[in-house]
Amino acid sequence: MSLNFLTKLKILWAIADIQRIYYPVLAAVGVPVNVVTIAILCRGKCGLSKCVTYYLVAMAAADLFVVIIDLILRQIPIVHWEQFNFVRVIPLCNIHAVLLYAVTDCSVWFTVTFTFDRFVAISCQKLKSKHCTERIAAMVLGIVTVLSLLKNISWYFMFARKYWLSNSSWFCRVGLSVSLSLIWAIVELIHYIVTPLIPFLLILLLNALTVRHVLVSSRARRRLQRRSNGETPSDPEMGNRRKSMILLFLISGNFIVLWVVFTVCSILKRLDYLEYSVSVPAFVREIGSMLQLLSCCTNTFVYAVTQRKFREELANGVKYPLSMMVKLVR
Protein backbone atom coordinates (compact mmCIF):
# COMPACT_ATOMS: atom_id res chain seq x y z
CA MET A 1 0.00 0.00 0.00
CA SER A 2 2.83 2.37 0.91
CA LEU A 3 4.75 1.52 -2.26
CA ASN A 4 1.63 2.16 -4.31
CA PHE A 5 1.22 5.58 -2.71
CA LEU A 6 4.90 6.43 -3.30
CA THR A 7 4.63 5.36 -6.93
CA LYS A 8 1.62 7.63 -7.47
CA LEU A 9 3.43 10.49 -5.76
CA LYS A 10 6.50 10.05 -7.98
CA ILE A 11 4.32 10.03 -11.10
CA LEU A 12 2.60 13.20 -9.89
CA TRP A 13 5.96 14.91 -9.32
CA ALA A 14 7.14 13.85 -12.77
CA ILE A 15 3.98 15.26 -14.35
CA ALA A 16 4.45 18.51 -12.40
CA ASP A 17 7.96 18.82 -13.87
CA ILE A 18 6.59 18.17 -17.36
CA GLN A 19 3.87 20.79 -16.87
CA ARG A 20 6.46 23.48 -16.12
CA ILE A 21 7.63 23.10 -19.73
CA TYR A 22 4.44 21.81 -21.36
CA TYR A 23 2.15 24.72 -20.42
CA PRO A 24 4.44 27.57 -21.62
CA VAL A 25 5.11 25.70 -24.89
CA LEU A 26 1.39 25.05 -25.37
CA ALA A 27 0.66 28.74 -24.77
CA ALA A 28 3.37 29.74 -27.25
CA VAL A 29 1.70 27.51 -29.85
CA GLY A 30 -1.96 28.04 -28.90
CA VAL A 31 -2.09 31.83 -29.21
CA PRO A 32 -0.59 32.17 -32.71
CA VAL A 33 -2.36 29.15 -34.24
CA ASN A 34 -5.77 30.40 -33.11
CA VAL A 35 -5.03 33.97 -34.21
CA VAL A 36 -3.90 32.70 -37.62
CA THR A 37 -7.00 30.50 -37.90
CA ILE A 38 -9.29 33.45 -37.16
CA ALA A 39 -7.45 35.64 -39.68
CA ILE A 40 -7.60 33.01 -42.45
CA LEU A 41 -11.26 32.14 -41.88
CA CYS A 42 -12.30 35.80 -41.74
CA ARG A 43 -10.82 36.35 -45.22
CA GLY A 44 -13.53 34.03 -46.54
CA LYS A 45 -11.33 32.34 -49.14
CA CYS A 46 -11.44 28.78 -47.79
CA GLY A 47 -14.43 27.66 -49.84
CA LEU A 48 -16.65 27.35 -46.76
CA SER A 49 -20.15 28.76 -46.40
CA LYS A 50 -20.54 31.88 -44.27
CA CYS A 51 -22.58 29.88 -41.78
CA VAL A 52 -19.79 27.32 -41.28
CA THR A 53 -17.22 30.13 -41.16
CA TYR A 54 -19.14 31.83 -38.32
CA TYR A 55 -19.03 28.66 -36.24
CA LEU A 56 -15.36 27.93 -36.93
CA VAL A 57 -14.31 31.53 -36.17
CA ALA A 58 -16.31 31.45 -32.92
CA MET A 59 -14.70 28.15 -31.93
CA ALA A 60 -11.22 29.50 -32.64
CA ALA A 61 -11.95 32.72 -30.71
CA ALA A 62 -13.26 30.73 -27.72
CA ASP A 63 -10.18 28.48 -27.81
CA LEU A 64 -7.95 31.56 -27.91
CA PHE A 65 -9.64 32.99 -24.81
CA VAL A 66 -9.31 29.62 -23.03
CA VAL A 67 -5.57 29.62 -23.80
CA ILE A 68 -5.23 33.15 -22.40
CA ILE A 69 -7.57 32.95 -19.39
CA ASP A 70 -6.97 29.33 -18.35
CA LEU A 71 -3.54 28.35 -19.61
CA ILE A 72 -1.64 31.64 -19.35
CA LEU A 73 -3.44 33.30 -16.43
CA ARG A 74 -4.10 30.17 -14.33
CA GLN A 75 -2.03 27.08 -15.15
CA ILE A 76 1.31 28.78 -15.81
CA PRO A 77 1.21 30.86 -12.57
CA ILE A 78 0.32 27.67 -10.66
CA VAL A 79 3.16 25.51 -11.99
CA HIS A 80 5.61 28.45 -11.76
CA TRP A 81 4.27 29.74 -8.45
CA GLU A 82 7.75 30.84 -7.29
CA GLN A 83 7.83 33.55 -10.00
CA PHE A 84 4.11 34.39 -9.74
CA ASN A 85 3.65 34.39 -5.96
CA PHE A 86 2.60 38.07 -6.17
CA VAL A 87 -0.64 36.91 -7.82
CA ARG A 88 -1.92 35.78 -4.40
CA VAL A 89 -2.59 39.39 -3.36
CA ILE A 90 -4.63 40.28 -6.48
CA PRO A 91 -8.33 40.35 -5.45
CA LEU A 92 -9.81 39.21 -8.78
CA CYS A 93 -9.93 35.43 -8.54
CA ASN A 94 -13.71 35.04 -8.39
CA ILE A 95 -14.13 37.26 -11.47
CA HIS A 96 -11.36 35.29 -13.17
CA ALA A 97 -13.24 32.07 -12.36
CA VAL A 98 -16.48 33.33 -13.93
CA LEU A 99 -14.68 34.33 -17.14
CA LEU A 100 -12.63 31.11 -17.23
CA TYR A 101 -15.59 28.76 -16.93
CA ALA A 102 -17.72 30.91 -19.25
CA VAL A 103 -15.19 30.79 -22.11
CA THR A 104 -14.68 27.07 -21.49
CA ASP A 105 -18.43 26.55 -21.78
CA CYS A 106 -18.44 28.60 -24.98
CA SER A 107 -15.62 26.52 -26.45
CA VAL A 108 -17.50 23.29 -25.70
CA TRP A 109 -21.00 24.39 -26.68
CA PHE A 110 -19.82 26.09 -29.89
CA THR A 111 -18.61 22.62 -30.89
CA VAL A 112 -22.08 21.24 -30.11
CA THR A 113 -23.86 23.95 -32.11
CA PHE A 114 -21.51 23.38 -35.06
CA THR A 115 -22.22 19.64 -34.88
CA PHE A 116 -25.97 20.32 -34.86
CA ASP A 117 -25.66 22.74 -37.77
CA ARG A 118 -23.80 20.13 -39.85
CA PHE A 119 -26.37 17.49 -38.85
CA VAL A 120 -29.15 19.73 -40.19
CA ALA A 121 -27.19 20.57 -43.34
CA ILE A 122 -26.51 16.91 -44.14
CA SER A 123 -29.60 15.14 -42.81
CA CYS A 124 -32.47 17.65 -42.85
CA GLN A 125 -32.63 19.19 -46.29
CA LYS A 126 -36.01 20.87 -45.62
CA LEU A 127 -34.60 22.76 -42.63
CA LYS A 128 -31.23 23.52 -44.22
CA SER A 129 -32.26 26.71 -46.02
CA LYS A 130 -33.90 28.12 -42.86
CA HIS A 131 -31.40 27.02 -40.21
CA CYS A 132 -28.00 27.06 -41.93
CA THR A 133 -27.73 30.82 -42.43
CA GLU A 134 -25.41 33.53 -41.14
CA ARG A 135 -28.23 35.16 -39.17
CA ILE A 136 -29.16 31.96 -37.33
CA ALA A 137 -25.49 31.13 -36.70
CA ALA A 138 -24.84 34.59 -35.21
CA MET A 139 -28.00 34.36 -33.08
CA VAL A 140 -27.14 30.86 -31.79
CA LEU A 141 -23.56 31.84 -30.95
CA GLY A 142 -24.78 34.98 -29.16
CA ILE A 143 -27.32 33.01 -27.10
CA VAL A 144 -24.70 30.41 -26.12
CA THR A 145 -22.31 33.17 -25.02
CA VAL A 146 -24.92 34.92 -22.85
CA LEU A 147 -26.13 31.66 -21.28
CA SER A 148 -22.55 30.62 -20.55
CA LEU A 149 -21.94 33.87 -18.65
CA LEU A 150 -25.21 33.56 -16.71
CA LYS A 151 -24.59 29.90 -15.84
CA ASN A 152 -21.17 30.65 -14.34
CA ILE A 153 -22.13 33.62 -12.18
CA SER A 154 -22.37 31.16 -9.26
CA TRP A 155 -18.56 30.82 -9.22
CA TYR A 156 -18.36 34.49 -8.18
CA PHE A 157 -20.13 33.60 -4.92
CA MET A 158 -18.48 30.19 -4.44
CA PHE A 159 -14.90 31.41 -4.68
CA ALA A 160 -13.10 34.08 -2.67
CA ARG A 161 -11.47 37.09 -4.32
CA LYS A 162 -7.92 35.94 -3.48
CA TYR A 163 -5.95 33.36 -5.46
CA TRP A 164 -4.92 30.08 -3.88
CA LEU A 165 -2.39 29.10 -6.57
CA SER A 166 -2.82 25.43 -5.75
CA ASN A 167 -2.54 22.80 -8.47
CA SER A 168 -6.22 22.02 -8.15
CA SER A 169 -9.50 22.69 -9.91
CA TRP A 170 -10.15 25.15 -7.07
CA PHE A 171 -7.52 27.76 -7.94
CA CYS A 172 -9.18 30.41 -5.76
CA ARG A 173 -9.51 30.37 -2.00
CA VAL A 174 -12.65 28.57 -0.87
CA GLY A 175 -14.24 28.88 2.55
CA LEU A 176 -15.27 25.85 4.60
CA SER A 177 -18.91 26.89 4.26
CA VAL A 178 -18.58 26.33 0.52
CA SER A 179 -16.24 23.34 0.37
CA LEU A 180 -18.35 21.37 2.88
CA SER A 181 -21.75 22.58 1.65
CA LEU A 182 -24.05 20.04 0.02
CA ILE A 183 -25.75 22.80 -2.00
CA TRP A 184 -22.49 24.03 -3.54
CA ALA A 185 -21.36 20.44 -4.13
CA ILE A 186 -24.53 19.84 -6.14
CA VAL A 187 -24.04 23.13 -8.02
CA GLU A 188 -20.53 22.08 -8.98
CA LEU A 189 -21.66 18.60 -10.01
CA ILE A 190 -24.35 20.12 -12.23
CA HIS A 191 -21.69 22.38 -13.72
CA TYR A 192 -19.62 19.39 -14.87
CA ILE A 193 -22.71 17.54 -16.10
CA VAL A 194 -23.78 20.50 -18.25
CA THR A 195 -20.22 20.99 -19.48
CA PRO A 196 -18.99 18.71 -20.89
CA LEU A 197 -20.97 15.51 -20.11
CA ILE A 198 -24.16 16.56 -21.93
CA PRO A 199 -22.18 17.90 -24.92
CA PHE A 200 -20.43 14.51 -25.09
CA LEU A 201 -23.76 12.71 -25.37
CA LEU A 202 -25.22 15.23 -27.84
CA ILE A 203 -22.19 15.08 -30.14
CA LEU A 204 -22.18 11.28 -30.14
CA LEU A 205 -25.93 11.19 -30.83
CA LEU A 206 -25.82 13.78 -33.62
CA ASN A 207 -22.84 12.10 -35.29
CA ALA A 208 -24.56 8.70 -35.11
CA LEU A 209 -27.72 10.14 -36.69
CA THR A 210 -25.65 11.88 -39.38
CA VAL A 211 -23.81 8.67 -40.27
CA ARG A 212 -27.06 6.71 -40.39
CA HIS A 213 -28.69 9.27 -42.71
CA VAL A 214 -25.69 9.42 -45.04
CA LEU A 215 -25.45 5.63 -45.32
CA VAL A 216 -29.17 5.28 -46.05
CA SER A 217 -29.30 8.13 -48.58
CA SER A 218 -26.07 6.96 -50.23
CA ARG A 219 -27.55 3.49 -50.89
CA ALA A 220 -30.77 5.02 -52.21
CA ARG A 221 -28.93 7.38 -54.58
CA ARG A 222 -26.75 4.56 -55.90
CA ARG A 223 -29.79 2.39 -56.63
CA LEU A 224 -31.54 5.28 -58.37
CA GLN A 225 -28.49 6.10 -60.50
CA ARG A 226 -28.04 2.46 -61.53
CA ARG A 227 -31.65 2.27 -62.66
CA SER A 228 -31.45 5.47 -64.68
CA ASN A 229 -27.93 5.14 -66.13
CA GLY A 230 -27.09 1.46 -65.86
CA GLU A 231 -23.85 2.38 -64.08
CA THR A 232 -22.61 4.14 -60.95
CA PRO A 233 -21.24 7.56 -61.95
CA SER A 234 -19.48 9.93 -59.60
CA ASP A 235 -21.86 11.81 -57.30
CA PRO A 236 -20.78 15.42 -56.52
CA GLU A 237 -23.48 15.78 -53.85
CA MET A 238 -22.26 12.75 -51.92
CA GLY A 239 -18.69 13.96 -52.35
CA ASN A 240 -19.58 17.28 -50.71
CA ARG A 241 -21.37 15.49 -47.88
CA ARG A 242 -18.38 13.23 -47.37
CA LYS A 243 -16.04 16.23 -47.05
CA SER A 244 -18.41 17.89 -44.60
CA MET A 245 -18.60 14.68 -42.56
CA ILE A 246 -14.82 14.32 -42.41
CA LEU A 247 -14.47 17.89 -41.05
CA LEU A 248 -17.32 17.31 -38.59
CA PHE A 249 -16.03 13.98 -37.29
CA LEU A 250 -12.46 15.17 -36.88
CA ILE A 251 -13.53 18.24 -34.91
CA SER A 252 -16.00 16.41 -32.69
CA GLY A 253 -13.74 13.34 -32.36
CA ASN A 254 -10.82 15.56 -31.37
CA PHE A 255 -13.01 17.17 -28.70
CA ILE A 256 -14.23 13.85 -27.28
CA VAL A 257 -10.81 12.17 -27.18
CA LEU A 258 -9.06 15.11 -25.50
CA TRP A 259 -11.86 15.89 -23.03
CA VAL A 260 -12.89 12.41 -21.92
CA VAL A 261 -10.30 11.96 -19.13
CA PHE A 262 -10.95 15.44 -17.69
CA THR A 263 -14.73 14.90 -17.79
CA VAL A 264 -14.71 11.55 -16.03
CA CYS A 265 -12.22 12.73 -13.38
CA SER A 266 -14.16 15.94 -12.65
CA ILE A 267 -17.46 14.14 -12.11
CA LEU A 268 -15.92 11.34 -10.03
CA LYS A 269 -14.06 13.86 -7.89
CA ARG A 270 -17.26 15.77 -7.16
CA LEU A 271 -19.07 12.51 -6.34
CA ASP A 272 -16.25 11.75 -3.90
CA TYR A 273 -16.96 15.05 -2.12
CA LEU A 274 -20.61 13.99 -1.93
CA GLU A 275 -19.43 10.96 0.09
CA TYR A 276 -19.65 8.48 -2.77
CA SER A 277 -16.32 6.70 -2.50
CA VAL A 278 -14.83 7.07 -5.97
CA SER A 279 -11.08 7.64 -5.82
CA VAL A 280 -9.14 8.89 -8.84
CA PRO A 281 -5.33 9.30 -8.65
CA ALA A 282 -4.26 12.94 -8.75
CA PHE A 283 -1.88 12.33 -11.65
CA VAL A 284 -4.79 11.08 -13.80
CA ARG A 285 -6.64 14.35 -13.20
CA GLU A 286 -3.53 16.31 -14.15
CA ILE A 287 -3.19 14.36 -17.41
CA GLY A 288 -6.86 15.09 -18.09
CA SER A 289 -6.26 18.83 -17.63
CA MET A 290 -3.25 18.72 -19.95
CA LEU A 291 -5.24 16.97 -22.68
CA GLN A 292 -8.23 19.27 -22.23
CA LEU A 293 -6.06 22.35 -22.78
CA LEU A 294 -4.39 20.69 -25.76
CA SER A 295 -7.82 20.56 -27.45
CA CYS A 296 -7.74 24.37 -27.72
CA CYS A 297 -4.74 24.20 -30.05
CA THR A 298 -5.60 21.35 -32.41
CA ASN A 299 -8.49 22.53 -34.59
CA THR A 300 -6.11 24.51 -36.79
CA PHE A 301 -4.34 21.29 -37.71
CA VAL A 302 -7.71 19.64 -38.39
CA TYR A 303 -8.56 22.40 -40.86
CA ALA A 304 -5.12 22.12 -42.48
CA VAL A 305 -5.59 18.36 -42.97
CA THR A 306 -9.16 18.48 -44.28
CA GLN A 307 -9.38 21.80 -46.18
CA ARG A 308 -7.17 22.28 -49.24
CA LYS A 309 -7.92 26.02 -49.55
CA PHE A 310 -7.18 26.54 -45.86
CA ARG A 311 -3.76 24.92 -46.43
CA GLU A 312 -3.18 27.24 -49.38
CA GLU A 313 -4.11 30.32 -47.35
CA LEU A 314 -1.88 29.12 -44.52
CA ALA A 315 1.02 28.54 -46.92
CA ASN A 316 0.53 32.00 -48.44
CA GLY A 317 0.51 33.52 -44.97
CA VAL A 318 3.85 31.85 -44.20
CA LYS A 319 5.40 32.69 -47.56
CA TYR A 320 4.46 36.38 -47.53
CA PRO A 321 6.62 37.54 -44.57
CA LEU A 322 9.47 35.33 -45.80
CA SER A 323 9.33 36.90 -49.27
CA MET A 324 9.25 40.38 -47.70
CA MET A 325 12.31 39.55 -45.61
CA VAL A 326 14.13 38.30 -48.71
CA LYS A 327 13.31 41.52 -50.55
CA LEU A 328 14.54 43.62 -47.64
CA VAL A 329 17.79 41.67 -47.46
CA ARG A 330 18.36 42.13 -51.16
Side-chain angles (χ1 to χ4, degrees), residues 302-329:
V302 171
Y303 306 149
V305 169
T306 59
Q307 303 295 313
R308 178 180 57 83
K309 291 185 178 180
F310 184 90
R311 288 196 300 272
E312 292 174 355
E313 288 291 306
L314 185 61
N316 292 334
V318 173
K319 290 177 183 176
Y320 179 76
L322 293 177
S323 62
M324 292 300 293
M325 290 176 61
V326 172
K327 288 181 181 179
L328 290 173
V329 171

Side-chain angles (χ1 to χ4, degrees), residues 135-184:
R135 185 178 68 84
I136 294 296
M139 184 176 68
V140 169
L141 293 169
I143 291 172
V144 169
T145 302
V146 172
L147 290 178
S148 297
L149 283 169
L150 293 176
K151 166 184 170 288
N152 289 288
I153 291 296
S154 59
W155 296 103
Y156 181 88
F157 303 100
M158 287 177 66
F159 288 166
R161 298 170 64 190
K162 295 291 183 70
Y163 286 88
W164 188 15
L165 282 190
S166 171
N167 200 357
S168 165
S169 57
W170 288 357
F171 66 104
C172 302
R173 293 189 179 277
V174 181
L176 286 176
S177 60
V178 171
S179 61
L180 300 178
S181 168
L182 178 61
I183 294 175
W184 288 119

Side-chain angles (χ1 to χ4, degrees), residues 18 203 269:
I18 293 171
I203 288 173
K269 182 181 178 182

Side-chain angles (χ1 to χ4, degrees), residues 3-163:
L3 179 61
N4 188 33
F5 172 77
L6 288 175
T7 302
K8 292 179 180 178
L9 193 60
K10 288 178 181 179
I11 295 173
L12 186 60
W13 287 342
I15 290 175
D17 290 337
I18 293 171
Q19 287 175 337
R20 294 174 69 87
I21 301 172
Y22 174 77
Y23 285 142
V25 170
L26 195 61
V29 173
V31 171
V33 297
N34 282 299
V35 170
V36 167
T37 298
I38 294 169
I40 291 175
L41 292 172
C42 286
R43 284 169 57 86
K45 296 183 178 181
C46 295
L48 300 169
S49 68
K50 289 186 178 180
C51 176
V52 172
T53 300
Y54 274 33
Y55 284 109
L56 298 187
V57 168
M59 289 161 62
D63 287 344
L64 176 62
F65 280 116
V66 171
V67 170
I68 294 171
I69 297 175
D70 193 349
L71 183 57
I72 296 177
L73 297 181
R74 179 173 77 150
Q75 299 294 351
I76 292 178
I78 286 174
V79 297
H80 291 279
W81 61 270
E82 305 95 334
Q83 290 80 23
F84 292 91
N85 201 38
F86 65 90
V87 172
R88 294 179 187 273
V89 301
I90 301 175
L92 295 174
C93 195
N94 51 355
I95 298 174
H96 184 178
V98 172
L99 295 176
L100 187 155
Y101 292 117
V103 296
T104 302
D105 281 4
C106 285
S107 177
V108 172
W109 282 95
F110 287 169
T111 305
V112 177
T113 56
F114 171 73
T115 304
F116 180 76
D117 178 84
R118 291 302 85 199
F119 164 73
V120 172
I122 295 171
S123 307
C124 309
Q125 294 300 308
K126 292 182 180 179
L127 292 176
K128 180 179 178 181
S129 59
K130 295 181 179 180
H131 181 273
C132 302
T133 64
E134 307 97 279
R135 185 178 68 84
I136 294 296
M139 184 176 68
V140 169
L141 293 169
I143 291 172
V144 169
T145 302
V146 172
L147 290 178
S148 297
L149 283 169
L150 293 176
K151 166 184 170 288
N152 289 288
I153 291 296
S154 59
W155 296 103
Y156 181 88
F157 303 100
M158 287 177 66
F159 288 166
R161 298 170 64 190
K162 295 291 183 70
Y163 286 88

